[in-house]
C-alpha cells in the first residue's frame, strides 16, 4: 500500500513538472529574437533609403554621393547623402542634420558623436584664417551640441601660416586642451574619427545595389 502511494505521488510530481516545463517553453517561444528583430529593422531602413535615393537621383542627378554609416550604438545604419544625415523611423526617412555653411565631415562609429566644420578668412586684413570644429551628439531629434575646438591661423602677406592658436570651449565656458581631450576620449571610447565623405559613392542604381545593404 505504501509503495502504491509513493508511486502515485511520484507520478503526480512528474506530471506537474512536465506541465511546468511546457508552460516555460511556450513562454520562451513568445519572446522575440533580438537579432532577427534588428535585422528586420535594418532591412526596412535600407529599403526606405533605397526609395529615398531613387527619388533623389531623379531630382539631383547621379553626381551626389551617399553612404551607410553607423553613428549611433545600434545595428540600424544612418544615411549620409549630399552632406546631410538621415535616419529611418517607422519606415520613413527623417532628417537628422541638414548641411548649411557648416559641413558635417566626420563621425566616431557607434558613439553618436559627429563633427561639423566651418572655416573663414578675415577679409578685412587677410592676416588670419579661422577653422572651427564643433562636436555634437546625434539624438532622435537632431544634433545636441557638446563642445568646440577652434584654430586661428596667422598669415603673412603671401597667405602662408606663420603661427597657430588653439582654443577649446563648451556652451558655457572655456576649457583646457587637456580637459577637451579627456572629454573627447570619454565620449568616443578613444575611437578614431571616420570621414563621412571618404567612403561615399555616387547615387547610381549600380552603386545602390552594391553598397546599400
Amino acid at each position: 500500500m505504501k509503495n502504491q502511494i509513493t508511486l502515485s505521488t511520484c507520478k503526480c510530481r512528474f506530471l506537474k513538472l512536465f506541465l511546468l516545463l511546457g508552460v516555460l517553453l511556450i513562454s520562451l517561444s513568445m519572446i522575440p529574437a533580438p537579432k532577427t528583430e534588428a535585422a528586420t529593422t535594418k532591412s526596412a531602413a535600407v529599403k526606405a533609403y533605397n526609395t529615398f535615393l531613387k527619388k533623389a537621383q531623379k531630382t539631383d542627378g547621379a553626381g551626389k554621393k551617399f553612404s551607410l554609416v553607423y553613428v549611433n550604438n545600434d545595428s540600424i545604419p544612418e544615411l549620409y547623402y549630399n552632406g546631410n544625415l538621415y535616419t529611418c523611423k517607422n519606415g520613413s526617412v527623417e532628417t537628422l542634420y541638414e548641411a548649411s555653411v557648416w559641413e558635417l565631415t566626420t563621425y566616431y562609429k557607434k558613439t553618436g558623436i559627429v563633427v561639423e566644420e566651418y572655416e573663414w578668412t578675415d577679409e578685412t586684413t587677410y592676416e588670419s584664417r579661422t577653422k572651427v570644429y564643433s562636436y555634437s551628439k546625434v539624438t532622435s531629434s537632431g544634433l545636441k551640441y557638446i563642445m568646440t575646438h577652434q584654430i586661428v591661423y596667422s598669415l603673412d602677406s603671401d597667405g602662408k601660416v606663420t603661427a597657430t592658436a588653439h582654443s577649446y570651449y563648451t556652451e558655457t565656458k572655456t576649457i583646457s586642451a587637456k580637459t577637451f581631450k579627456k572629454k573627447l576620449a570619454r565620449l568616443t571610447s578613444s575611437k578614431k574619427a571616420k570621414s563621412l565623405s571618404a567612403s561615399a559613392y555616387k547615387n547610381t542604381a549600380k552603386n545602390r545595389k552594391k553598397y546599400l545593404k
Side-chain angles (χ1 to χ4, degrees):
M1 183 70 172
K2 184 177 180 180
N3 291 337
Q4 288 180 345
I5 293 174
T6 303
L7 182 60
S8 177
T9 302
C10 288
K11 287 182 178 179
C12 184
R13 288 177 178 174
F14 179 77
L15 181 60
K16 287 181 177 179
L17 182 62
F18 180 78
L19 290 173
L20 182 62
L21 182 61
V23 171
L24 181 61
L25 289 172
I26 292 172
S27 299
L28 288 173
S29 67
M30 295 176 68
I31 299 175
K35 289 185 178 180
T36 302
E37 189 174 64
T40 302
T41 306
K42 177 184 176 181
S43 176
V46 169
K47 183 178 180 181
Y49 294 152
N50 191 41
T51 300
F52 173 85
L53 290 172
K54 281 181 180 179
K55 292 180 180 178
Q57 184 181 2
K58 291 180 180 179
T59 56
D60 301 335
K64 307 299 182 183
K65 294 185 175 182
F66 76 91
S67 65
L68 286 184
V69 292
Y70 289 87
V71 178
N72 292 325
N73 188 24
D74 56 33
S75 59
I76 314 305
E78 286 73 40
L79 175 67
Y80 173 76
Y81 171 69
N82 192 30
N84 304 322
L85 190 64
Y86 302 91
T87 188
C88 182
K89 294 180 182 178
N90 301 318
S92 299
V93 177
E94 297 185 9
T95 304
L96 285 174
Y97 176 86
E98 189 171 2
S100 57
V101 292
W102 289 83
E103 181 184 2
L104 195 66
T105 57
T106 54
Y107 73 105
Y108 294 81
K109 188 176 180 179
K110 292 198 170 187
T111 65
I113 304 301
V114 294
V115 184
E116 300 171 84
E117 293 183 22
Y118 181 53
E119 183 175 356
W120 73 91
T121 300
D122 182 350
E123 296 184 355
T124 303
T125 63
Y126 292 94
E127 293 179 351
S128 68
R129 185 174 77 249
T130 303
K131 192 162 189 175
V132 180
Y133 300 87
S134 178
Y135 292 74
S136 299
K137 178 87 172 181
V138 174
T139 69
S140 58
S141 57
L143 269 57
K144 183 179 180 181
Y145 171 74
I146 300 173
M147 57 185 181
T148 295
H149 173 199
Q150 178 174 292
I151 308 173
V152 178
Y153 300 92
S154 298
L155 309 174
D156 62 17
S157 57
D158 296 322
K160 293 181 180 180
V161 176
T162 58
T164 58
H166 296 259
S167 58
Y168 308 86
Y169 50 89
T170 65
E171 194 169 16
T172 58
K173 62 181 180 179
T174 300
I175 58 177
S176 66
K178 184 177 180 180
T179 299
F180 174 87
K181 290 176 182 178
K182 282 186 176 180
K183 190 177 182 69
L184 181 60
R186 185 175 69 253
L187 290 168
T188 63
S189 300
S190 298
K191 292 182 178 180
K192 291 184 178 181
K194 289 179 171 290
S195 170
L196 283 163
S197 59
S199 58
Y201 307 94
K202 289 185 177 181
N203 185 20
T204 64
K206 182 179 179 180
N207 283 339
R208 289 195 298 272
K209 184 177 180 180
K210 185 175 181 179
Y211 300 108
L212 202 63
K213 56 186 178 180

